[in-house]
């Protein structure tokens, strides 16, 4: 069978299975299976596929129709223009999480500031490591309770050539003693300039979570007790006393958690301003607290 024929059949198959981005997924998977760039597919339409190539592609297509996300099949996902290695031990980076990066860049008075960054529940490392790329003099303490997640984050730090500016801490993010000891050790001061987190924030009984998210992504990265608010509230409270005078604290949250988190951040009494940042769909997505002197 020629490549064009295989691509067309795959697209149709995905459409029949109600996969939304049928063409994109088919192109990404076939390119991956054939070790080509996506654009090269179009230059090789008439190339016949060998039995081995067909078998490889068939296997990738089968995984997709069973619901596995493309990012896990490819082992990579782009976030803020950088490629992140991913596997089933980490949450797949989401575009809405990029708002955290944008907010830090808006806040940052100085691109060359020697900021102390802490990323709680770093997963793939997408938030903290992207900030290190954007802020070349900053240092990061990246915390996760999953050893397997930290392995992924470490690989990403190496690939992004920022490994010398990260300290990874295998710990419950709520264990401030351990995290702050690492901050002091690595940054020379126990105070934080930029605290970022995309904690688990989905309520256990949330009916809107996609089946395949639940089936393939790590449960511990998704769900939180107390209507999803537990880690947002706990972590912001625990780390607020350790923020530097002009610090920023940004956490991703669920679309219905804005009012509760605004109140919660305000009650900490350390922020001059507390704001809800909306995502591109117009939904409440990030809570931002900024100190000021
Ligand atoms: N910090 C990672 C991300 O934003 C992981 C978040 C998580 O596992 N809840 O993708």
């Amino acid at each position: 069978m020629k490549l064009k024929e295989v691509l067309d059949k795959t697209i149709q198959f995905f459409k029949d299975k109600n996969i939304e981005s049928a063409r994109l997924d088919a192109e990404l998977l076939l390119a991956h299976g054939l070790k080509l760039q996506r654009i090269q597919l179009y230059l090789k339409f008439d190339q016949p596929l060998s039995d081995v190539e067909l078998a490889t592609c068939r296997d990738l297509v089968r995984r997709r129709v069973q619901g596995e996300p493309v990012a896990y099949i490819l082992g990579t996902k782009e976030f803020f223009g950088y490629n992140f290695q991913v596997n089933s031990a980490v949450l797949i980076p989401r575009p809405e999480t990029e708002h955290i990066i944008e907010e830090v860049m808006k806040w940052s008075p100085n691109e060359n500031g020697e900021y102390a960054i802490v990323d709680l529940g770093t997963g793939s490392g997408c938030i903290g490591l992207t900030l290190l790329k954007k802020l070349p003099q900053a240092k990061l303490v990246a915390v996760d309770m999953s050893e397997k997640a930290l392995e992924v984050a470490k690989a990403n730090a190496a690939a992004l050539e920022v490994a010398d500016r990260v300290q990874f801490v295998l710990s419950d993010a709520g264990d401030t003693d351990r995290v702050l000891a690492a901050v002091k050790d690595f940054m020379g001061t126990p105070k934080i300039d930029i605290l970022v987190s995309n904690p688990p924030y989905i309520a256990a009984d949330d009916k809107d979570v996609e089946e395949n998210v639940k089936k393939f992504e790590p449960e511990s990265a998704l769900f939180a007790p107390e209507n999803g608010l537990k880690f947002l509230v706990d972590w912001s409270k625990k780390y607020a006393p350790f923020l530097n005078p002009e610090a920023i604290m940004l956490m991703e949250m669920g679309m219905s958690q804005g009012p509760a988190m605004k109140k919660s951040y305000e009650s900490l009494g350390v922020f001059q301003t507390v704001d809800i940042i909306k995502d591109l769909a117009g939904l409440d997505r990030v809570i931002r607290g900024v100190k000021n002197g």
Side-chain angles (χ1 to χ4, degrees), residues 55-223:
T56 305
C57 291
R58 209 170 275 137
D59 183 52
L60 302 176
V61 168
R62 185 186 47 75
R63 285 169 67 183
R64 182 68 193 110
V65 294
Q66 284 169 354
E68 189 171 347
V70 173
Y72 287 152
I73 304 176
L74 303 180
T76 173
K77 175 77 184 177
E78 192 186 304
F79 179 82
F80 217 86
Y82 299 104
N83 281 324
F84 282 83
Q85 181 188 315
V86 293
N87 62 31
S88 58
V90 300
L91 193 80
I92 299 168
R94 305 291 205 270
E96 52 268 35
T97 306
E98 294 181 348
H99 290 296
I100 292 186
I101 311 295
E102 285 164 7
E103 289 302 320
V104 171
M105 300 319 292
K106 274 193 232 161
W107 161 88
S108 168
N110 170 12
E111 199 175 293
N112 285 312
E114 294 177 12
Y115 301 118
I117 309 174
V118 172
D119 181 7
L120 302 176
T122 198
S124 64
C126 63
I127 305 175
L129 299 176
T130 301
L131 289 176
L132 287 185
K133 292 301 285 183
K134 295 281 156 197
L135 300 168
Q137 306 297 327
K139 283 182 170 183
L140 168 70
V141 165
V143 186
D144 208 288
M145 64 191 292
S146 154
E147 206 166 345
K148 285 190 170 156
L150 283 189
E151 275 172 30
V152 175
K154 280 177 191 169
N156 283 324
L160 292 167
E161 300 181 321
V162 293
D164 55 331
R165 291 189 286 129
V166 198
Q167 178 76 48
F168 291 99
V169 181
L170 178 63
S171 173
D172 179 336
D175 187 346
T176 38
D177 288 346
R178 278 184 63 188
V179 175
L180 292 165
V183 174
K184 181 154 196 288
D185 212 42
F186 193 51
M187 326 264 195
T189 144
K191 293 279 179 137
I192 302 162
D193 298 300
I194 302 171
L195 189 129
V196 285
S197 182
N198 176 18
Y201 59 70
I202 303 175
D205 59 357
D206 191 326
K207 303 270 182 300
D208 293 336
V209 191
E210 273 174 56
E211 257 338 286
N212 288 329
V213 170
K214 273 194 277 190
K215 190 164 156 202
F216 289 95
E217 300 199 59
E219 203 182 325
S220 59
L222 297 168
F223 296 99

